[in-house]
Amino acid sequence: AVHGLLRDWARGDDERERETAALAHGYGLAAGSVAASLAELGRIACADDGRTTSHSVLRLLAGTEPETVLTALTRWLRDTRRPRRDLALLTVLRAVTTRTSHLWGLCEVPELEPYAAWPLATAVLAAHPGCAPRLAELLRAALTWARSAGAAEDALVGWIRRAAGDERQLTVLCGFLPRLAQDGDEPLDAAAATRIREVLEAL
């Protein structure tokens, strides 16, 4: 019954009901699975400016299935619908600026507990190293797409500066940053590489 009600709210015209549905799906329980909640959030994004939906996707990223979330974000990034691409970009930017402990929901995620004070992106990289390639792809896109480049540069600078005061964070981040200059086994195109270098040199 709850699932049906949230489904109706997500597809309805009432902005407050859509927002409530989006918030509920951030707990990963409303639709029966994380993947199903992500599907609903992707639909809601078409009628949302990304503020609420990206927060809920971020909550799911701080949950038990970060790989599932990053897979969805990568799929949205390649979607022809701009609201879904924007949702992916906004979520990854919030991941590098939002403290992990601010996103825990109904239960703790033990593997993230040692990194509670870190930005979520750093915590995910530390607890789930296998997530690094997809996270790098998303952040590269944010840095190189015109509509998100400025915000991504600011987020990246803040991310690095925050890590500089904590040797453990810095180690994780230094292990990740070279991935921003790679795209699989191929080097990143010159324009993107130049932009990333300029960001790092500006620190």
Side-chain angles (χ1 to χ4, degrees), residues 25-50:
H25 284 297
Y27 289 92
L29 304 173
S33 69
V34 170
S37 282
L38 287 166
E40 288 297 306
L41 288 167
R43 292 188 187 97
I44 297 171
C46 293
D48 174 74
D49 62 5

Side-chain angles (χ1 to χ4, degrees), residues 24-173:
H25 284 297
Y27 289 92
L29 304 173
S33 69
V34 170
S37 282
L38 287 166
E40 288 297 306
L41 288 167
R43 292 188 187 97
I44 297 171
C46 293
D48 174 74
D49 62 5
R51 184 179 64 253
T52 302
T53 47
S54 65
H55 175 74
S56 289
V57 175
L58 207 61
R59 288 182 65 89
L60 294 176
L61 182 59
T64 58
E65 298 181 37
E67 296 89 350
T68 301
V69 178
L70 290 172
T71 297
L73 291 174
T74 304
R75 185 172 63 251
W76 292 339
L77 187 66
R78 299 166 182 168
D79 200 297
T80 57
R81 289 160 289 194
R82 180 166 176 169
R84 294 193 180 185
R85 296 197 305 269
D86 288 349
L87 177 58
L89 293 169
L90 183 55
T91 301
V92 74
L93 293 183
R94 295 184 75 166
V96 304
T97 59
T98 304
R99 182 172 171 159
T100 299
S101 59
H102 294 170
L103 294 162
W104 286 350
L106 298 176
C107 61
E108 292 184 356
V109 182
E111 58 267 34
L112 293 182
E113 188 171 357
Y115 320 112
W118 294 12
L120 178 61
T122 324
V124 169
L125 289 169
H128 306 280
C131 290
R134 288 198 183 277
L135 188 58
E137 178 180 353
L138 289 159
L139 189 53
R140 276 198 306 270
L143 284 163
T144 54
W145 289 15
R147 66 179 178 274
S148 60
E153 289 173 11
D154 290 343
L156 181 59
V157 168
W159 193 24
I160 295 171
R161 285 179 173 165
R162 184 168 181 176
D166 181 335
E167 183 60 35
R168 291 193 307 151
Q169 285 190 62
L170 190 60
T171 297
V172 172
L173 196 54

